[in-house]
Amino acid sequence: MSPWVWIATLIALVAVLAVDLLIIGRRPHEPSMKESGGWVAFYVGLAVLFGAGVWIAAGGRYAGEFYTGWLTEYSLSVDNLFVFVIIMARFAVPRQFQQKVLLIGIVLALVMRGLFIAAGAALIAQFSWVFYIFGAFLVYTAISLLKEGENDEDDFKENILIRWAKRAFPVSSSFGDGRMMVASSAGKRLFTPMLIVMIAIGTTDLLFALDSIPAIFGITKEPYLVFTANVFALMGLRQLYFLLGGLLERLVFLNYGLAAVLAFIGVKLFLEALHTNTLPFINGGEGVHWAPEIPIWLSLLVIIGTLGIATGASLAKSSRDRKRELLNAKA
């Protein structure tokens, strides 16, 4: 990919982030459903148009890889929101400051994923056998998701960095005006709980990047498509948080759908590793040519179908549970 294309993409990304920062900086508020829906539709539309541009410039194969990767990363980003909701509740972040927390979290996620993408691309270029590791890791992650089941407050535990920050820094009991530091009545400078929330969001982003980057490399090996799929998956996540609201709690089977998707991509990676094998203790260092290569159109169908079933089953279960609660209340 031409360096000029990378530069233009990064400039456009910084411009969009700058607009978001200006909106939040000038008027911290809880966005309405209409505002959130408009922004989510805008970012989804941008992703669709970008994929169309890839189709025109590079062909259907790469466009398919972008759309499949974007959908996978978008689904994993929605799973991020579950943990963000728990963090916001755990630290009692006021609603008017939650946009700021989410935006900073998204910026941190972009930086971390950019670093992981660069590292992953370098590893793949040098060692094709790294796909064995990526595939095994995704299958392990899928099994872990199945064991965890539905998302709940136990999904977030204060890590060692959060516990150390609470002990090491003087932290006020109030968020004040949403800044990182405030002055006490005695004139002493104190950190607000916003610092602890930022650490929690940042470390959570790091853990999710460990899952998402191997997953996207299972769809495409083009670093530019890996990066842009992640960018479009994260842009608009702040508004999606407010748009979905209570709906997040109703997606009770999303973890199972994501587990199936990650397991599928893990197996796909393992098959690709076999097909291009260079490890001497597997088939004498030769590729295992009978290993099937899963086409991108089939990957897209499997991912859309799996997530659609998980979402439909979740909403159906939530509807039944709500009706049952109403009947019990009347009784």
Side-chain angles (χ1 to χ4, degrees):
M1 187 61 63
S2 166
W4 290 109
V5 175
W6 276 100
I7 292 170
T9 303
L10 291 172
I11 290 173
L13 168 62
V14 171
V16 173
L17 287 175
V19 170
D20 258 354
L21 283 168
L22 285 173
I23 290 173
I24 295 174
R26 291 178 60 185
R27 189 168 64 92
H29 67 290
E30 179 182 349
S32 65
M33 294 289 285
K34 182 179 179 181
E35 180 185 345
S36 298
W39 277 104
V40 170
F42 171 73
Y43 284 121
V44 169
L46 275 184
V48 172
L49 287 175
F50 180 84
V54 172
W55 194 311
I56 293 169
R61 173 194 165 190
Y62 291 110
E65 289 181 359
F66 169 76
Y67 283 128
T68 306
W70 169 61
L71 182 62
T72 301
E73 294 299 302
Y74 203 73
S75 304
L76 290 169
S77 296
V78 171
D79 197 44
N80 283 33
L81 291 182
F82 282 105
V83 182
F84 287 170
V85 168
I86 294 169
I87 290 173
M88 301 288 192
R90 179 73 62 85
F91 295 102
V93 180
R95 295 287 288 183
Q96 69 268 27
F97 300 142
Q98 290 184 7
Q99 281 209 81
K100 181 178 181 179
V101 172
L102 289 168
L103 181 57
I104 294 174
I106 289 168
V107 171
L108 289 173
L110 284 170
V111 171
M112 289 180 187
R113 293 188 188 197
L115 293 173
F116 275 102
I117 288 167
L123 280 172
I124 290 167
Q126 293 294 320
F127 312 105
S128 61
W129 49 261
V130 77
F131 281 131
Y132 286 116
I133 298 174
F134 282 1
F137 179 73
L138 289 179
V139 172
Y140 168 78
T141 304
I143 294 171
S144 298
L145 282 174
L146 287 176
K147 288 180 178 179
E148 289 173 6
E150 298 179 16
N151 287 284
D152 53 38
E153 292 190 5
D154 292 334
D155 289 341
F156 172 75
K157 295 180 177 64
E158 292 188 2
N159 57 52
I160 188 171
L161 187 58
I162 296 173
R163 294 195 298 270
W164 172 82
K166 283 184 171 182
R167 292 194 305 267
F169 300 113
V171 180
S172 69
S173 58
S174 170
F175 280 87
D177 59 359
R179 296 181 182 179
M180 289 289 185
M181 297 191 75
V182 293
S184 68
S185 56
K188 184 180 179 182
R189 301 289 289 176
L190 299 174
F191 287 99
T192 68
M194 188 68 77
L195 172 68
I196 309 301
V197 173
M198 288 298 110
I199 294 173
I201 292 287
T203 51
T204 300
D205 282 337
L206 177 62
L207 292 175
F208 275 108
L210 291 173
D211 294 341
S212 65
I213 299 309
I216 187 66
F217 272 114
I219 302 298
T220 178
K221 300 176 186 65
E222 293 292 329
Y224 181 76
L225 294 180
V226 172
F227 178 72
T228 51
N230 270 277
V231 168
F232 281 108
L234 290 168
M235 302 305 288
L237 194 62
R238 172 174 62 85
Q239 292 87 354
L240 186 65
Y241 171 89
F242 293 99
L243 179 64
L244 292 179
L247 181 61
L248 281 171
E249 298 176 0
R250 297 172 61 190
L251 299 177
V252 293
F253 294 132
L254 180 62
N255 264 12
Y256 298 108
L258 290 175
V261 168
L262 291 177
F264 170 77
I265 297 174
V267 171
K268 181 177 182 294
L269 273 173
F270 199 84
L271 291 173
E272 288 185 22
L274 285 174
H275 197 76
T276 58
N277 175 65
T278 57
L279 293 179
F281 53 85
I282 298 178
N283 198 36
E286 299 293 329
V288 181
H289 299 298
W290 55 261
E293 290 186 276
I294 300 174
I296 197 64
W297 63 265
L298 180 58
S299 298
L300 185 57
L301 284 179
V302 169
I303 291 169
I304 291 175
T306 302
L307 295 174
I309 291 170
T311 302
S314 295
L315 296 178
K317 181 180 184 298
S318 296
S319 179
R320 289 195 304 271
D321 291 345
R322 187 175 299 176
K323 289 178 180 177
R324 190 179 299 114
E325 288 175 3
L326 289 172
L327 289 173
N328 291 337
K330 290 178 180 179

